[in-house]
Amino acid sequence: MSKYMLIMRGTDETNAAMMASIDEAMAATRRFIEDMIKAGVLLAAEGLDDPRRGVVVDFSGETPVVTDGPYGETKELFGGYFLLDVASKQEAVEWAKRVPAVSGSKIEVRRVAGDDEVPQDSERTVEERAGRESRI
């Protein structure tokens, strides 16, 4: 089995369309999540808050610059994700085709690299790295 992330991408227009019928959209999403749970493929699912409440940390210059949302370009906003454990990319694509998305939205399907594909730091254990990362 492989992990695949279904990344929900929308625009200002698709987000507005979804918000116009938010109760219906949420009900459809709950049914979709229940279907994935029943199939035993759902590992995680999260939606993101309004981009106007976020910030961007830009590393283009010598020091990072923090800019409040909304962002300059909102052609394709990352709105959330579903993380699946499926047998193949094609199975992930089949689930992506079932996402209850409004017209104009996109779902990006990306495989999540396994632990054996990430370069290992021979001087530190996974536990040490996790301990340091949790303090950040």
Side-chain angles (χ1 to χ4, degrees):
M1 300 291 272
S2 296
K3 292 179 188 173
Y4 281 86
M5 185 173 280
L6 310 184
I7 302 168
M8 299 180 295
R9 296 201 179 272
T11 63
D12 289 335
E13 293 79 20
T14 60
N15 288 344
M18 184 187 68
M19 293 308 290
S21 59
I22 190 64
D23 292 337
E24 182 180 315
M26 293 305 295
T29 300
R30 279 191 291 278
R31 287 190 300 273
F32 178 65
I33 288 171
E34 289 170 9
D35 289 346
M36 290 187 293
I37 290 170
K38 287 177 189 171
V41 300
L42 183 66
L43 297 175
E46 299 282 339
L48 297 179
D49 197 5
D50 188 315
R52 290 175 291 195
R53 295 184 183 150
V55 300
V56 171
V57 180
D58 185 346
F59 291 89
S60 297
E62 195 171 305
T63 59
V65 175
V66 178
T67 305
D68 290 331
Y71 315 112
E73 291 288 325
T74 57
K75 292 178 186 167
E76 290 189 350
L77 297 170
F78 176 11
Y81 69 91
F82 299 101
L83 183 60
L84 309 182
D85 190 11
V86 294
S88 66
K89 178 179 174 180
Q90 187 55 40
E91 185 179 354
V93 169
E94 291 304 315
W95 281 106
K97 288 161 66 175
R98 294 178 56 189
V99 172
V102 298
S103 179
S105 299
K106 295 179 181 179
I107 303 294
E108 180 180 346
V109 178
R110 302 268 306 269
R111 191 176 67 81
V112 177
D115 291 339
D116 59 337
E117 298 174 274
V118 178
Q120 299 298 313
D121 184 344
S122 61
E123 295 182 29
R124 293 187 307 187
T125 65
V126 172
E127 293 81 16
E128 289 172 329
R129 284 193 299 274
R132 182 186 63 80
E133 290 168 359
S134 68
R135 292 188 300 269
I136 293 178

